[in-house]
Amino acid sequence: MTEKLIIHGGKALRGEVEISGAKNSVLKLMAATLLTGDSIELRNVPHLSDVGVMTQVLKYLGCDVDQQDDDRLYIQAKNITSCEAPYDLVRKMRASFDVLGSLLGRFGEARVALPGGCSIGKRSVDLHVKGLIALGAEVEINHGYVEAKASRLIGAEILLDTPSVGATENIMLAATMAEGATILSNAAQEPEIVDLANFLNAMGADISGAGTNELVINGVKPGSLHGTTYSVMPDRIEAATYLMAGVGTMGDVTVNNVLPVHLSSLTHKLIEMGAEIEMPSPNSIRIHSERRLQAQNIVTQPYPGFPTDLQAPFMTLLSTADGVSIVKETIYENRFKQVGELKRMGADISVERDVAVITGVPHLSGAEVNAHDLRAGAAMVIAGVMAEGSTQVFDLHHLDRGYEDVVSKMRSLGADIERVPDTSGRPVTEESA
Ligand code: EPU
């Protein structure tokens, strides 16, 4: 039975919330564990359905995977029985495509289903494939699968056409045990790339430059990567979601276990809009506001620009800000699916191609809305706590991919929110973030 959220909004959220480990990092760290036969212990691992899907992928390949009730996850890729990731698993979650680089890097072969597009955009993997070819792999695309082979990969100079997060990761994973150095230019600079590089270095890799646009991966001897214990970075997108829920309700919220620098592009915008922001400790951010926020413009960009993953939740805030705001989405072709839902809650938004114009209304009013994808779902939860009256949010499986314990965390801040069975029989929508 699917479930829905019922939120009685309009209450100021107050209090502190602990942020979980980052979904978009842990999935890649899990893929990276394939590079050694030793046991790996990951900590600060969130309980998310996407972690469950990556667990299924690794088990399918022959790994032992054991997620504890607390935040630990043990993985050992000692007895790999297959180098193939089937479509059934990859289509559920496109991050499973990251096993391509690891399998190729360690075993010299991989057969991984093409993820295809998803509801937010085309999401091609051409740059991943070009990068692996540059490292000397023979790559063919047959029957919907990427088939890659190489007796030994050779380091190369690679320039990405665009700083793709996934391509940077797959190339980095494949190149860790290549012969010689790989220089990857126009690399993605997201904090999750830094986390992956730090993890690989803790396993014995030799990677420098992570967090800049040029990565240098000095290949180490095949078989030389080893086990380690590593703590996953905090989830900057989850942290941002609670900050926006706090300020959107004119409350006072502190997020703990965060790295504030990861959230600079958001906090700068919020300060310009009139929010008060403080850092009570090096790992916390406090936000509060007693006044209606002012309108603001954003353009989504690769890190350190404004993240596309926050565009939908931020639009919820803008929908009640004073004045006219403009949002331009440059990363995905179809990431405005929250707009129709926000309009059902009384927002005044018009969309022309990749630009949305939002004229702030004094308040949102509760309605029945869909979480069309993961971040559109977060936008609906924020809208629900901000709105007057009652909101029901459907299609929660999207939210479960990336938000651990959203109901208990929101309740700890004073939100009136519950999760109940959805008996409406509505069809379930698919997406693969
Ligand atoms: N692109 C290409 N060719 C490629 C690779 C990417 O054209 O070979 C395009 C994509 O189509 C897209 C853009 O480049 O339009 C950015 O894609 P990128 O590869 O950077 O993203 P990703 O690795 O597929 C990760 C996150 C996304 C997040 C983006 C951008 C994970 C599991 N996913 O996706 O997260 O939006 O980086 O920051 O890490 C989410 O969490 O909701 C989510 C969608």
Side-chain angles (χ1 to χ4, degrees), residues 24 28 123-124 126-127 164-166 309 331-332 335 375:
N24 285 349
K28 324 308 170 56
R123 305 194 74 179
S124 158
D126 55 322
L127 303 176
S164 154
V165 173
D309 294 345
I331 309 292
Y332 295 114
R335 218 180 195 186
R375 306 305 173 187

Side-chain angles (χ1 to χ4, degrees), residues 372-419:
H372 282 295
D373 60 52
L374 169 58
R375 306 305 173 187
M380 292 306 115
V381 175
I382 297 173
V385 293
M386 283 168 58
E388 289 181 354
S390 151
T391 295
Q392 297 193 30
V393 185
F394 298 92
D395 270 349
L396 293 191
H397 59 286
H398 294 305
L399 203 60
D400 293 338
R401 311 183 58 169
Y403 289 89
E404 185 176 45
D405 292 338
V406 66
V407 168
S408 45
K409 288 188 185 188
M410 279 290 179
R411 275 193 186 154
S412 75
L413 297 174
D416 182 346
I417 178 170
E418 61 177 333
R419 187 174 175 129

